């Protein structure tokens, strides 16, 4: 009985072992590692070759000679504008710019020498001078002043009496007026180019907001008149 039980147990163990299947070990596949890629260093950008500076000496000299011809012909306003345009054209050329500035200084001295004296009347259409005094202090620049008879203009006179006079910068100029009411207009300029061109475009025009009234008084044997002083 014991032998029979032992034999059965052995058979059972053998049958159980025979039914098992062993799984194969998983295959390990090596994955190749990729080395990190490094971007190539760009080649340095070459510095641009600077263009050679053009020689403007001949062109500037020719233009200055033409400007001198304008000055000799009395065309000071045209010459001044041409010189300003020339300096602007060659503003990046140091040598040319210095030549223009040198000519400007010479030209400026010439214009100052031709400037009218303060109080010089460039035109007058009053029948009499009168005892009233209008004084102009030219603080901001040289001034051209025009004084017009308001009453005559209101009466329909197409050419009312007027006087135009000049005052140099930093000085006081005067003109005499008869009793009456006057409109005062003015131009504050930079340089005087002559009676024909005046200040040209280089000026600021203005007028007094209210007319000036000049009165004449008699006190026995004493006469007194109005006097105004205006700073421009």
């Amino acid at each position: 009985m014991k032998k029979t039980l032992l034999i059965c147990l052995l058979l059972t163990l053998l049958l159980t072992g025979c039914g098992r299947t062993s799984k194969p070990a998983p295959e390990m596949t090596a994955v190749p590692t990729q080395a990190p890629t490094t971007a190539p260093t760009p080649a340095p950008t070459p510095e641009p070759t600077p263009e050679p500076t053009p020689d403007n000496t001949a062109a500037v000299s020719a233009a200055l000679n033409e400007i001198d011809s304008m000055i000799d012909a009395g065309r000071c306003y045209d010459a001044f504008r041409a010189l300003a345009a020339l300096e602007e054209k060659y503003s990046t050329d140091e040598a040319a710019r210095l030549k223009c500035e040198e000519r400007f200084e010479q030209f400026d001295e010439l214009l100052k020498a031709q400037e009218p004296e303060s109080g010089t009347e460039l035109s007058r259409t009053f029948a009499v001078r009168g005892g009233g005094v209008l004084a102009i202090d030219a603080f901001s620049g040289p001034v051209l002043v025009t004084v017009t008879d308001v009453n005559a203009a209101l009466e329909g006179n197409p050419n009312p009496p007027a006087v135009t006079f000049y005052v140099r910068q930093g000085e006081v100029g005067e003109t005499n007026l008869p009793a009456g009411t006057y409109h005062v207009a003015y131009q504050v300029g930079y340089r005087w180019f002559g009676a024909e061109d005046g200040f040209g475009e280089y000026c600021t025009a203005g007028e007094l907001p209210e007319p000036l009234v000049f009165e004449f008084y008699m006190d026995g044997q004493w006469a007194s008149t109005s006097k105004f002083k205006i700073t421009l």
Side-chain angles (χ1 to χ4, degrees):
M1 184 70 178
K2 290 181 179 178
K3 289 182 180 180
T4 303
L5 182 62
L6 180 61
I7 291 171
C8 290
L9 180 60
L10 290 172
L11 288 173
T12 301
L13 292 172
L14 288 172
L15 289 173
T16 303
C18 290
R20 291 179 180 175
T21 59
S22 59
K23 293 182 180 181
E27 296 182 0
M28 302 297 290
T29 303
V31 179
T33 58
Q34 184 176 4
T37 58
T38 303
T41 304
T45 303
E47 293 290 335
T49 303
E51 296 183 1
T53 303
D55 186 359
N56 299 311
T57 303
V60 173
S61 297
L64 289 176
N65 289 337
E66 180 66 23
I67 290 171
D68 289 340
S69 298
M70 295 181 189
I71 296 173
D72 293 339
R75 297 166 53 199
C76 292
Y77 181 48
D78 293 336
F80 191 90
R81 296 181 66 187
L83 188 53
L86 184 66
E87 185 177 32
E88 176 66 22
K89 180 178 180 179
Y90 295 105
S91 59
T92 58
D93 186 329
E94 184 68 11
R97 186 180 62 81
L98 289 176
K99 279 191 173 183
C100 291
E101 288 186 357
E102 181 182 0
R103 190 57 54 87
F104 257 126
E105 291 178 1
Q106 297 171 354
F107 194 14
D108 197 45
E109 292 300 321
L110 174 63
L111 292 175
K112 286 182 179 180
Q114 298 177 353
E115 191 178 18
E117 297 288 339
S118 293
T120 299
E121 294 181 353
L122 304 181
S123 66
R124 170 179 278 269
T125 57
F126 286 102
V128 296
R129 292 187 62 83
V133 177
L134 174 61
I136 299 295
D137 183 355
F139 175 78
S140 302
V143 179
L144 184 68
V145 184
T146 299
V147 185
T148 306
D149 189 325
V150 172
N151 292 330
L154 292 176
E155 291 171 359
N157 187 340
N159 297 303
V163 60
T164 299
F165 66 103
Y166 187 87
V167 186
R168 294 184 176 188
Q169 183 177 10
E171 298 181 5
V172 176
E174 296 181 350
T175 192
N176 291 97
L177 299 167
T181 303
Y182 299 100
H183 173 262
V184 179
Y186 57 85
Q187 291 179 344
V188 179
Y190 172 68
R191 284 290 174 264
W192 182 254
F193 300 107
E196 182 176 350
D197 296 309
F199 297 123
E201 62 183 303
Y202 306 103
C203 69
T204 300
E207 60 183 18
L208 298 187
E210 298 292 337
L212 299 181
V213 179
F214 287 79
E215 297 179 338
F216 177 77
Y217 299 96
M218 285 294 299
D219 185 9
Q221 295 181 350
W222 298 94
S224 61
T225 56
S226 303
K227 179 176 181 178
F228 293 90
K229 183 177 181 180
I230 300 170
T231 300
L232 297 174

